Every structure is written in C-alpha cells, then in structure tokens.
Amino acid sequence: MSEKKKRYFLPEEEIPRQWYNIQADMPNKPLPPLNPATREPLKAEDLYPIFAEELCRQELNQTDRWIDIPEEVREMYKYYRSTPLVRAYGLEKALGTPAHIYFKNESVSPMGSHKLNSALAQAYYCRKEGVTNVTTETGAGQWGASLAYAAKLFGLEAAVYQVKLSYEQKPYRRSMMQTFGAQVTPSPSMSTRAGKDILTANPNHQGSLGTAISEAIELARTTPGCKYTLGSVLSHVTLHQTVIGLEAEKQMAMAGEYPDVVVACFGGGSNFGGIAFPFLRHNILDGKTTRFVAAEPASCPKLTRGKFCYDFGDEAGYTPLLPMFSLGHNFMPPNVHAGGLRYHGAGVIVSQLLKDGLMEAVDIKQIESFDAGVLFARAEGIIPAPESCHAIAATIREAEKCKATGEEKVILFNLSGHGLIDMASYDKYLSGDLVNYSISDEQIDKNLSALK
Amino acid sequence: MSEKKKRYFLPEEEIPRQWYNIQADMPNKPLPPLNPATREPLKAEDLYPIFAEELCRQELNQTDRWIDIPEEVREMYKYYRSTPLVRAYGLEKALGTPAHIYFKNESVSPMGSHKLNSALAQAYYCRKEGVTNVTTETGAGQWGASLAYAAKLFGLEAAVYQVKLSYEQKPYRRSMMQTFGAQVTPSPSMSTRAGKDILTANPNHQGSLGTAISEAIELARTTPGCKYTLGSVLSHVTLHQTVIGLEAEKQMAMAGEYPDVVVACFGGGSNFGGIAFPFLRHNILDGKTTRFVAAEPASCPKLTRGKFCYDFGDEAGYTPLLPMFSLGHNFMPPNVHAGGLRYHGAGVIVSQLLKDGLMEAVDIKQIESFDAGVLFARAEGIIPAPESCHAIAATIREAEKCKATGEEKVILFNLSGHGLIDMASYDKYLSGDLVNYSISDEQIDKNLSALK
C-alpha cells in the first residue's frame, strides 16, 4: 500500500491572524438592514443596545477586507485549530468516483462543531466592553454549548434559550451547557413576553430558532449588563467563521490542489460562508471559477424556494428588517433532526450572493441526508451531525456526477460537526422510522404573503 | 499575552512504525497463563481457537522489544494520529499550581477514545487470517464502537455483548455500534449458556465486563469463522496502545520537557500501559525516575486492595488462569458510571510491575472523579469520559502536592476519551444525585476466598 497523505495541519504560527470580510469585495454590497419603525437604514449605533459594540461595527463594515483576530481569541483557537483538512479516500472508494474529495473537519473542536469559532470572539468582545451576562438561542445545541463554554472562559454568566424540540430530542447538549455553568430554558417559555404570546396562541408550539431568538433578545433588552449573541445568520458571525476557509485554502495548497466545488450545509449561513468566502474571493478577484453549493433541508427551503425580501430575523419581530431570502419569519419548520438548519431566513451576504449568481443552493430530503451520513460514517469512521449530513449528501451528488462523466474534480466540503449527541436520530433512521417532510408551494406563498 | 504553544503534533511520517513490547525489558517477566484443567503453562497455539494467531504470538512474546505495525493498520492510524499532546494551561491556572500539566488527547479519535488503536490491529489480523466474524464484549461502549467500525472497515461481521447496565445507561453508544452495522446484545443474555447460567442464578444481574467476556468467548468458540477480540487486559492489546506513549515521548521532547509523573485511569490496563510503558522503559534501561500512577475507581479496587493470584479473566471461567491482581472473577462492581473500569482484574504485565514496585496505584471515589471532570471541562473545554475523570482526579492530587511544595513537576496524563455520550452521568452529578460506593474488606475477602 502506498503512503497516501490523509490529513493536513497548519503549524500554530500559521493559524490565521485576521478574518476575511467579503463585504469589502462584493460586486453588489448587501442592502442595509432597516429600522422596522422608520424603515431608515440602520447604523451600527442602533445595534449597540443589543450586541457588543465591536460586533455591531463588524456587522456593517463594508470596507475593510481584513479584520484582526484579537490575540486573546487566537490563543483560544490554538486549543483546537488548525482543524484537519482530510482527504476522504474511504468515501471516494465507497462511491467509486474519480473525484478527489476533501473535508475540513470542524467536528474536532472540543464542543464538536465549528460554532466555537464565533462564540470565543463574541464572548471576548462582550467581556472587553464590560458586559457581565450573555444570552442566546440554540437549536440543536451546538451553538449553545459553544457559547456556554466561551462565556465560562471569559468570566460571563450565560442564559440559553434552547428550541423546545431539541431540548427534548437532544438532552445531552443541555447537559453540556449546564456542565459549563449555563442556565438553559426550553423555548418558547413563559419567562418572556414573546414566549408567552407564542404559547398563548399555540400551547403546543415546539419552538424554532426564530422563537428562541425573540426570547433571548427580549432578555438582553430587559436585563442590565446583558448582551445578546447569535450563532449564525449575521455577518459578523460569518466573518469569524472565515478561519475555516482561510485555513482550508493553505491546507489545500499543501495538498497541491484547489477546489472546483465547495459545499456546506446551510442554516443561517455561517458555516457555509466560513468555508466558502475565502475561496469565493478568488472568483471575484482572480478569475477562479469554483462553484459554491449550499445544502439546505427540503423541509426548510429558503434558498431554493424562498423569496428575496425584507423580513424579520425572529418570530416576534424584535430584530431589524433584513434583506434576505426568507420563508417568512412565522414559518414553522417541520421537526427534522437537523435542528441547526430549522431557520426561516438566510444571512444578508449569502442572500445577495445567491441573487447575484455567485453561489448555488440545493435542497436535500431528510432520508437522503441520513443515507449520506451513514455511508460516510462507515467509510470514514466519523458519525456526522444531521446538519453536516446535508453537506455530505450534496457532495455525493457532485461525486456521482464525476463518476458519470469521468471528471477528476476536486470537491471540498465542511464537516461542520459530529453527530455523537444526535444518535437518537440515527436510531430512528436505522429502524426505518425517519420520514421526509414536504412543504407545499401554497404553504410558502401563504406565509410570505402574510409579511407586512 | 505571550504566544504559548498549546498543542504538539507529529508529522505523519513520524507516527510510530513499531509498537513497544515491554515484556522484553521487564526485570521480572510476567508468570505464564495456565491451562485451568492441567495447570500447565499456556502456549500460543493453545489460544489459536479463540484469537487470531498473530495476536496469540504477540500475547506471549517476551523477547522482541519492537513489533512492526502492519502498513494497513498504520494507514488507518493516519486518519486520527498523531493525537495532540496538549499543555493544560487552563487547568494549571484553575488549580494555581506550579506544575506543568500535559495531556495526550486520545478523545479526538473518531470513536472518541483510545480504543481504536487496538481495534484496527485486531480486525486487521483477523481479516488477514481469513476470519469472517468477530465478537467482543464492551462496557461503556467505547471499545464496542471502535471494534464495530474496525470490523466494517476490514469487511468483517461484528457481534458485541454490551454490559446490560451500560446498554441502558448509554444508549447512544449502542446506536453508534449499530450505525457501523454491528449486532449488539445486552449481557447477560439468554443467547449463551454462560448468560443463561448467570441469569438463572440472578435474574436481575446488571452485567459486568466479566460476564460479557464469557458470552463473547462462548460465541466465538461455537461459531465457525468467528474469533474473539478483547478491548483491554491482555498484553497484545496494551502492546497496540503503546502508540500513545511513543508519540507522547516525541511530543514531550518537542515541548522540551520530560514527565516526572505519568497518570492514566485503570480498567484492565491498556490505556495505562499504552501511555506509561514507553516512558517506563527509560526507568528500566536508562535510570530515569518517572513515577507511574494508575487511577482506579474506589468501587473496583483491584490494584489497591486486590490480591495477586491466578484467577480467571471472566465470570464463567472460560479464559486461561492469569497471574494478576484481582478481586475475584465473580466480583460484581457497583454501578459506577465509569463502565470501562468495572473489571475485577488487572493485566498480567501491570500486575507484575505493580508487584515489583515499578508503578503505583491510587483509588478515586466517584464524586471526586466528577469534581475533577467538571473542573477540567470548565478549564479546558473538553468534557472527559467518566473513566478519564479518574486520571484527572489523580493528576489534580499530584498538582496540589506541587502547589504545597512549590515544585514545578511535569505531569502527563492520558485523556483516554471524551464524555459526550456520558452526559447523563454529568446530569446526575450536577443535580447532586451521584453517590460514592464503598466496598468492605469482608466483601473482598469473601470473594477472593471463594477462588479455587
């Protein structure tokens, strides 16, 4: 057997020192968020009551291509970064494809996913600005666990609203958050006005990211010394995630290759943007022709079937109006196991890029996602998170095309997290109890037409 | 903030090419295993009906210091090795100790523990020798999951007997094994004579590693083309685990340090021997004075309170008689969450080393182990397996001694696995429901005096 190189690491000194801000390079900048009352474009200061100020400035920064990573954050990155770039020989063999498949393994972060990359940054800025408490929402719990740990690290108290469905489906992630000392509340809850309103209208509401965001924002607004943090969607979150793609760019060079296709699953867009944007800049600036594929669940198809419009980021309408692809902020996604993808909208940057044809989107049904996840697990030994299964399914589609045409394309996907805490969903899949959900056009139209 | 180096990796070409066989260097070799019927010393051939032949030869090899790692196994090691050596700055700070604490992070293996190191080797040799089916026991499920994956990789069918208590406490590990295509049976079961006998005598038997081993051996003996594999205790398993210590030796040199104390948790001895033996060879051969500390649960104290004697490795008495520290093969350990440490005996090599004063042992109560695990999680961001919590607790004891004396000792421990699938035990700890178990001298004496 020949010695094939499987994993590529960067030396510690090559861990990125700056994040990449694609807003500086976009041919069409994202439209501005609007104040819902006045419909005036938002300024950074308008967001200061909710987020740490530096994060507000990052959010709306359309000029600086590179943003320095604070040394204290980079020191913490060193505990798990660089994450390995892995050549998926096992998957290639299982598929019989001539494609070269690589994945960036973000599942080796101690929290099991990419979410820590932004949690560390957000907790750091909050601490630096004198904040004492942070609050957030979480779906599957990957983000909540990461924020809980980052908060503990920087000496902040953390309160997490976890989507009720995930709170019940994935009790171990709640335990993780509690192990790090966070308060965890299933959402919708009776502890906020937003939660009460939702439960009054629908006592059996299972929660969604949109409802949990409303509750967390309300807590931040009404609690002195408390700021809100978010795990995806917003531009500053995606900014922090670009460490993934910046590392991958150097690691692909170590492997002597450059991706023809980059794939990631899509909830709000942060892991997708994180791996895609550093490569996409070479399409914009250097004439590269890489394709970028976002894989969303067919049950929550904002990119493939949503509408580009101004909409709220949360159920209760607490956020600014954001220019994005959306299914409507009252869209209630079916109970798929990929809790991190159950969100009605897409971040403003990805929305603009999709509108401009600089990226693509595909939708994946739940069973296809687990078919892909189990195939990957048996071939590569890593059980992927249900969210990541969508990226694997889209990668397999690309690899099958290569098999049909004989092309040796280079495919890179982001393994955003492992599924060790999601084994109940694998149980369901293996026992044949998993279902596909379909969303009718009427449902989508009705929900979108309800937008003010 | 200064740039402190946190993690050390080896380049792929420096992943060990040989395992270290300490039997060749021991001042007193282990006594031979005996045939229970004749009480004659066992030859490798006597074990051929149960294990792959190469593994039988490795088991009894007392002459070759280095054993080549097959290229096919080393190729698979590359998917997750080298594992990082990490300087635990966070833990040092939390303790306020002058000690330098390092840990070898085996939890980043895709199966979440060190067990894959031997599973890959055992599955490889079985396949090479024409075996079609493998069977084994598993406690917490770390070993079973690793064997299930390794079997899938080398094209073998796998049947796993999981200790009933763990099967119920840790359903996600069962799901992992099933995801890799293995058959999983809670033990004791009605599918073997050994299981039936145990259940007849005690219908509420919760299982132990000793009972599950009996069932697996019986299945191997009665099934054509099937061999038994074991996750710890035996000398060939510990041999495979020496990749841990061999890597750590090089990585400590990269950090410019050498350990004064090496710590690991102790179930059968394979993760302990894996990290300890490569360093212990320098005590034996080169006059180093490193201390080696095995951390066992106070509820299953074979090293600290057991007796050195010839005893069976399993409940039913199917194995050879092994010269080991034991609590008696019918010892039923209390239901601690560290399922991987619930075993009545210690491997023959460690038993001899302990007898000869070349290593030490400490016992850790369950609550102290979780105190240590939670402290570590909050300081280092990694939630450790309940088994590994014992190593952390023993490390903290050593670090506290350094704090008292002001000594800057270098402590290295093995983080044998993560606890992400053991969160139910953290829940219990956090809610104050966890208890300590104590074992009376009378219990131990009674059990040992029952030995033939």
Side-chain angles (χ1 to χ4, degrees):
Chain A
M1 193 181 285
S2 73
E3 292 226 359
K4 296 178 188 168
K5 188 142 175 91
K6 297 212 165 51
R7 302 197 305 165
Y8 300 85
F9 283 98
L10 299 177
E12 234 167 57
E13 59 275 15
E14 291 207 29
I15 296 172
R17 294 175 191 276
Q18 296 179 309
W19 294 303
Y20 170 61
N21 178 21
I22 197 172
Q23 295 192 70
D25 291 329
M26 289 169 71
N28 297 311
K29 310 282 182 198
L31 298 175
L34 303 180
N35 179 320
T38 63
R39 295 192 81 95
E40 288 294 311
L42 224 62
K43 288 190 286 291
E45 304 87 87
D46 298 328
L47 295 169
Y48 287 178
I50 313 250
F51 297 102
E53 297 182 5
E54 176 59 25
L55 297 170
C56 302
R57 290 189 290 271
Q58 290 177 0
E59 184 65 24
L60 297 177
N61 186 332
Q62 298 193 334
T63 48
D64 300 315
R65 180 179 291 161
W66 299 103
I67 310 276
D68 286 343
I69 301 175
E71 199 46 42
E72 290 84 346
V73 173
R74 193 169 172 277
E75 281 297 308
M76 295 315 303
Y77 280 173
K78 286 193 204 166
Y79 272 100
Y80 63 101
R81 309 207 67 85
S82 68
T83 61
L85 176 79
V86 188
R87 174 80 184 265
Y89 288 111
L91 181 62
E92 290 173 18
K93 191 176 154 201
L95 296 171
T97 179
H100 294 193
I101 304 176
Y102 292 84
F103 62 94
K104 182 74 169 155
N105 187 0
E106 290 292 307
S107 81
V108 298
S109 129
M111 297 303 117
S113 83
H114 68 292
K115 293 290 188 189
L116 197 52
N117 300 330
S118 186
L120 290 169
Q122 294 189 47
Y124 165 77
Y125 288 120
C126 284
R127 176 66 184 196
K128 194 178 164 205
E129 296 178 16
V131 171
T132 55
N133 292 45
V134 289
T135 180
T136 196
E137 82 296 329
T138 196
Q142 300 264 30
W143 165 250
S146 295
L147 186 77
Y149 168 56
K152 170 60 66 181
L153 202 63
F154 287 106
L156 303 165
E157 295 296 314
V160 181
Y161 289 93
Q162 184 172 19
V163 174
K164 196 200 266 175
L165 177 70
S166 294
Y167 185 90
E168 285 157 9
Q169 270 180 351
K170 302 178 185 185
Y172 284 12
R173 286 239 174 74
R174 167 185 54 71
S175 310
M176 282 178 74
M177 295 185 252
Q178 291 168 333
T179 298
F180 293 120
Q183 300 284 332
V184 187
T185 308
S187 169
S189 76
M190 295 301 279
S191 71
T192 63
R193 208 192 62 196
K196 280 180 210 165
D197 288 351
I198 292 164
L199 286 172
T200 304
N202 180 355
N204 294 318
H205 201 291
Q206 290 297 295
S208 70
L209 284 167
T211 61
I213 292 173
S214 295
E215 294 209 87
I217 292 181
E218 186 178 324
L219 183 73
R221 275 184 175 167
T222 55
T223 310
C226 181
K227 296 280 180 176
Y228 170 64
T229 63
L230 186 66
S232 186
V233 185
L234 291 177
S235 302
H236 68 268
V237 184
T238 309
L239 173 74
H240 305 152
Q241 295 296 353
T242 58
V243 286
I244 302 171
L246 292 167
E247 285 182 2
E249 190 188 347
K250 292 186 186 180
Q251 290 165 309
M252 290 297 299
M254 289 165 77
E257 307 225 60
Y258 192 87
D260 297 303
V261 190
V262 175
V263 182
C265 66
F266 196 97
S270 77
N271 104 81
F272 173 81
I275 194 161
F277 293 173
F279 292 100
L280 183 49
R281 87 179 192 275
H282 297 300
N283 277 26
I284 298 174
L285 303 177
D286 311 321
K288 292 273 190 193
T289 57
T290 300
R291 289 170 51 224
F292 299 91
V293 180
E296 66 180 5
S299 55
C300 193
K302 62 245 176 191
L303 297 178
T304 52
R305 297 169 66 196
K307 185 175 136 189
F308 185 85
C309 59
Y310 269 101
D311 194 6
F312 289 108
D314 70 319
E315 169 100 13
Y318 287 162
T319 70
L321 285 165
L322 300 170
M324 60 182 184
F325 277 91
S326 176
L327 296 163
H329 63 277
N330 295 126
F331 179 77
M332 187 60 211
N335 296 347
V336 289
H337 284 273
L341 308 184
R342 293 178 72 245
Y343 185 68
H344 67 278
V348 302
I349 297 176
V350 261
S351 290
Q352 187 65 45
L353 293 170
L354 183 65
K355 196 156 168 275
D356 291 343
L358 290 165
M359 55 171 278
E360 310 163 30
V362 295
D363 64 330
I364 308 279
K365 287 192 194 298
Q366 180 158 255
I367 291 175
E368 182 183 349
S369 75
F370 278 91
D371 287 342
V374 170
L375 178 69
F376 179 80
R378 292 181 179 179
E380 295 287 333
I382 302 170
I383 298 180
E387 292 82 1
S388 311
C389 288
H390 291 74
I392 298 168
T395 297
I396 291 174
R397 287 189 189 176
E398 294 292 330
E400 298 283 6
K401 279 189 241 168
C402 291
K403 191 175 173 180
T405 62
E407 286 176 293
E408 271 192 28
K409 284 196 180 164
V410 177
I411 307 171
L412 167 66
F413 75 89
N414 194 33
L415 185 73
S416 55
H418 66 63
L420 296 182
I421 298 193
D422 308 282
M423 293 312 301
S425 57
Y426 281 86
D427 265 359
K428 272 207 159 176
Y429 169 81
L430 293 170
S431 58
D433 291 340
L434 216 61
V435 296
N436 283 330
Y437 295 94
S438 56
I439 308 289
S440 70
D441 290 339
E442 291 69 30
Q443 257 179 290
I444 294 175
D445 290 346
K446 188 177 157 211
N447 204 58
L448 282 170
S449 66
L451 292 184
K452 289 157 214 159
Chain B
M1 193 180 288
S2 73
E3 293 226 359
K4 294 179 189 166
K5 187 137 175 95
K6 298 214 164 51
R7 301 198 304 164
Y8 300 87
F9 283 98
L10 299 177
E12 236 167 55
E13 59 274 15
E14 291 208 29
I15 297 171
R17 292 175 192 276
Q18 296 179 308
W19 294 301
Y20 170 60
N21 177 21
I22 196 172
Q23 293 193 72
D25 290 330
M26 289 168 71
N28 298 310
K29 310 280 184 201
L31 299 174
L34 303 180
N35 179 320
T38 63
R39 296 192 82 95
E40 288 294 314
L42 223 64
K43 287 189 285 292
E45 304 86 87
D46 299 328
L47 295 169
Y48 287 178
I50 313 251
F51 297 102
E53 296 183 4
E54 176 58 25
L55 296 170
C56 302
R57 289 188 290 271
Q58 291 178 359
E59 184 64 25
L60 298 178
N61 186 332
Q62 299 194 332
T63 48
D64 300 316
R65 180 180 290 163
W66 300 103
I67 310 277
D68 287 344
I69 301 174
E71 198 48 40
E72 290 83 349
V73 173
R74 192 169 173 276
E75 281 297 307
M76 294 315 303
Y77 279 174
K78 286 192 203 166
Y79 271 101
Y80 64 100
R81 310 206 66 86
S82 68
T83 61
L85 176 79
V86 187
R87 173 79 183 264
Y89 289 111
L91 181 62
E92 291 173 17
K93 192 175 151 201
L95 295 171
T97 179
H100 295 195
I101 304 176
Y102 292 83
F103 61 93
K104 182 75 168 154
N105 188 0
E106 290 292 306
S107 80
V108 299
S109 129
M111 297 303 118
S113 83
H114 68 293
K115 293 291 189 189
L116 196 53
N117 300 329
S118 186
L120 290 168
Q122 294 188 49
Y124 165 76
Y125 289 119
C126 284
R127 177 66 185 195
K128 196 180 163 203
E129 296 178 17
V131 170
T132 55
N133 292 46
V134 288
T135 181
T136 196
E137 82 297 328
T138 195
Q142 300 264 30
W143 165 249
S146 295
L147 186 77
Y149 168 56
K152 171 59 67 182
L153 201 63
F154 287 105
L156 304 164
E157 295 296 315
V160 181
Y161 289 93
Q162 183 171 21
V163 174
K164 195 199 269 174
L165 177 71
S166 294
Y167 185 91
E168 285 158 9
Q169 270 181 351
K170 304 179 183 183
Y172 284 11
R173 286 239 174 72
R174 168 186 53 72
S175 311
M176 283 178 74
M177 294 184 253
Q178 289 168 336
T179 298
F180 294 119
Q183 299 286 332
V184 187
T185 308
S187 168
S189 76
M190 296 299 281
S191 71
T192 63
R193 207 193 62 196
K196 281 181 211 165
D197 287 351
I198 293 164
L199 285 172
T200 304
N202 179 357
N204 294 318
H205 201 292
Q206 290 297 295
S208 70
L209 284 166
T211 60
I213 292 172
S214 295
E215 293 208 88
I217 292 180
E218 186 178 323
L219 183 74
R221 275 185 176 166
T222 55
T223 310
C226 182
K227 295 280 180 175
Y228 171 64
T229 64
L230 186 67
S232 186
V233 185
L234 291 178
S235 302
H236 68 268
V237 184
T238 309
L239 173 75
H240 305 151
Q241 295 295 353
T242 59
V243 285
I244 302 171
L246 292 167
E247 286 182 1
E249 190 187 348
K250 291 185 186 179
Q251 290 166 309
M252 290 297 299
M254 290 165 78
E257 306 226 59
Y258 192 87
D260 297 303
V261 189
V262 175
V263 181
C265 66
F266 196 96
S270 78
N271 105 83
F272 173 81
I275 193 162
F277 293 172
F279 291 100
L280 182 50
R281 89 179 190 276
H282 297 301
N283 277 25
I284 297 173
L285 303 176
D286 311 322
K288 292 273 190 191
T289 57
T290 300
R291 290 171 48 225
F292 299 91
V293 180
E296 66 180 4
S299 55
C300 194
K302 63 246 178 190
L303 297 178
T304 52
R305 296 168 67 196
K307 187 175 134 190
F308 185 85
C309 58
Y310 269 101
D311 194 7
F312 289 108
D314 70 320
E315 170 100 14
Y318 287 163
T319 69
L321 285 166
L322 301 170
M324 61 183 185
F325 277 92
S326 176
L327 296 162
H329 64 276
N330 295 125
F331 180 77
M332 186 59 211
N335 295 347
V336 290
H337 284 273
L341 308 184
R342 292 177 70 246
Y343 185 69
H344 67 278
V348 301
I349 297 176
V350 260
S351 291
Q352 187 65 45
L353 293 170
L354 184 65
K355 194 156 169 272
D356 291 343
L358 290 166
M359 56 171 278
E360 311 163 29
V362 295
D363 63 330
I364 308 278
K365 286 192 194 303
Q366 179 157 257
I367 291 176
E368 182 183 350
S369 75
F370 278 92
D371 286 342
V374 170
L375 178 69
F376 179 80
R378 292 180 178 179
E380 295 287 331
I382 302 169
I383 297 180
E387 291 83 0
S388 311
C389 288
H390 292 74
I392 298 170
T395 297
I396 290 175
R397 287 188 191 176
E398 294 292 330
E400 296 284 5
K401 279 189 243 168
C402 291
K403 190 175 175 181
T405 62
E407 285 175 293
E408 271 191 28
K409 285 196 179 163
V410 177
I411 308 171
L412 166 67
F413 75 89
N414 193 33
L415 185 73
S416 55
H418 65 62
L420 296 181
I421 298 193
D422 308 283
M423 292 313 301
S425 57
Y426 280 87
D427 265 0
K428 274 206 159 177
Y429 170 80
L430 293 170
S431 59
D433 291 340
L434 216 61
V435 296
N436 284 328
Y437 295 94
S438 55
I439 308 290
S440 69
D441 289 338
E442 290 71 28
Q443 257 178 289
I444 294 176
D445 290 345
K446 188 176 157 215
N447 204 58
L448 282 171
S449 66
L451 292 184
K452 290 157 217 162

